[in-house]
């Protein structure tokens, strides 16, 4: 299969995750870029931030139009995460690639476990600035350190910490992804020189189209089912990357 077709297929899957689940784009994009498209880990994490940030802008517009974005919560998360995202990106350059891979896998698995924990759906409630800022700082550090947008942690944080309903958390997480990704990219700008734009461009285009399909899918599936699908996808990716790093 040609590299172009692989890029288009992988991009469509990443877009579906972002549009329908509000996260998972980076955690799917990074292994796709490494294992399917031959990127180095450093190049893959940088490219994934570009792809996911660009795709999230398109998806955010659709979610905002439907009233699924809680702007105050999202901005609090993002503002608190900008500094940690930059510090995490600086630290990542000094950590061996296998260690980053294991950390990436463990983080994804923990996020999936939290989303699979039984619990009653929480209604929307007023945003608590301290809790939002604390969670946002943690998400920013993960974004910078692991090269991910943070949506796969932002969604459960917005649901579990702030009590947003799933669809509101999905839409709001996209705002967090965009700001955190841009902050991390500002620090990682030196790693963008060797990127293969002939792969990144079609990957991003397919992801944008996939995000619109994901958004339509989200309107037809109950929020708790989306959450479970998201969690199982994260578990599968985490297991694969962890096994690969240990073999």
């Amino acid at each position: 299969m040609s590299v172009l077709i692989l890029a288009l297929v992988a991009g469509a899957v990443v877009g579906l995750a972002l549009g329908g689940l509000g996260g998972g784009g980076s955690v799917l994009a990074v292994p796709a870029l490494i294992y399917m498209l031959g990127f180095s880990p450093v190049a893959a994490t940088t490219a994934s931030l570009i792809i996911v940030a660009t795709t999230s802008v398109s998806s955010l517009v659709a979610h905002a139009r439907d009233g699924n974005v809680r702007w105050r919560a999202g901005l609090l998360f993002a503002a608190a995460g900008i500094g940690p995202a930059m510090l995490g990106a600086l630290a990542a350059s000094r950590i061996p690639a296998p260690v980053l891979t294991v950390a990436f896998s463990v983080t994804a698995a923990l996020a999936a476990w939290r989303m699979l924990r039984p619990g009653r759906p929480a209604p929307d409630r007023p945003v608590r600035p301290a809790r939002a800022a604390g969670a946002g700082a943690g998400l920013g550090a993960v974004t910078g350190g692991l090269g991910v947008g943070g949506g796969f942690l932002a969604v459960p944080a917005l649901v579990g910490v702030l009590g947003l309903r799933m669809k509101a958390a999905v839409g709001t997480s996209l705002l967090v992804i965009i700001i955190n990704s841009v902050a991390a990219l500002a620090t990682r700008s030196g790693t963008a020189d060797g990127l293969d734009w002939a792969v990144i461009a079609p990957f991003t285009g397919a992801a944008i189209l996939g995000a619109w399909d994901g958004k339509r899918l989200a309107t037809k599936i109950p929020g708790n089912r989306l959450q479970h699908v998201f969690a199982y996808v994260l578990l599968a990716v985490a297991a694969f990357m962890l096994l690969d790093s240990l073999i």
Side-chain angles (χ1 to χ4, degrees):
M1 189 179 294
S2 72
V3 172
L4 176 60
I5 294 175
L6 287 173
L8 291 172
V9 171
V13 173
V14 168
L16 282 171
L18 279 169
L21 303 172
S26 295
V27 80
L28 297 177
V30 170
L33 288 164
I34 293 173
Y35 299 111
M36 294 173 62
L37 298 167
F39 278 54
S40 69
V42 172
T45 53
T46 302
S48 75
L49 289 171
I50 296 170
I51 293 164
V52 171
T54 305
T55 307
S56 295
V57 170
S58 174
S59 191
L60 177 66
V61 171
H63 280 276
R65 187 168 55 241
D66 292 342
N68 291 332
V69 180
R70 301 294 180 265
W71 295 98
R72 184 165 179 249
L75 290 172
L76 282 169
F77 261 68
I82 290 174
M86 292 182 169
L87 291 174
L90 290 174
S93 63
R94 297 173 173 81
I95 300 175
V99 175
L100 284 177
T101 300
V102 172
F104 189 101
S105 303
V106 172
T107 301
L110 289 174
W113 173 78
R114 180 178 177 87
M115 296 190 78
L116 288 171
R117 289 175 61 189
R120 292 176 298 178
D124 284 341
R125 61 173 178 259
V127 175
R128 297 181 181 180
R131 297 181 73 184
L139 291 169
V142 171
T143 297
L146 301 182
V148 299
F152 68 105
L153 291 176
V155 171
L158 289 166
V159 172
V161 176
L162 299 183
L164 298 187
R165 294 187 184 277
M166 186 61 182
K167 289 183 179 178
V170 167
T172 305
S173 72
L174 293 167
L175 176 63
V176 179
I177 289 169
I178 293 166
I179 297 175
N180 279 352
S181 296
V182 171
L185 279 169
T187 306
R188 286 171 168 260
S189 58
T191 66
D193 295 337
L195 295 181
D196 188 348
W197 292 99
V199 172
I200 294 174
F203 196 122
T204 304
I208 291 172
L209 294 176
W212 286 94
D213 289 334
K215 171 62 175 59
R216 287 193 290 270
L217 183 65
T219 64
K220 301 176 182 178
I221 300 177
N224 63 336
R225 188 174 300 175
L226 280 175
Q227 186 170 338
H228 287 168
V229 169
F230 187 15
Y232 288 124
V233 170
L234 287 180
L235 282 175
V237 171
F240 175 80
M241 295 191 72
L242 184 59
L243 287 172
D244 182 74
S245 67
L246 296 176
I247 294 176

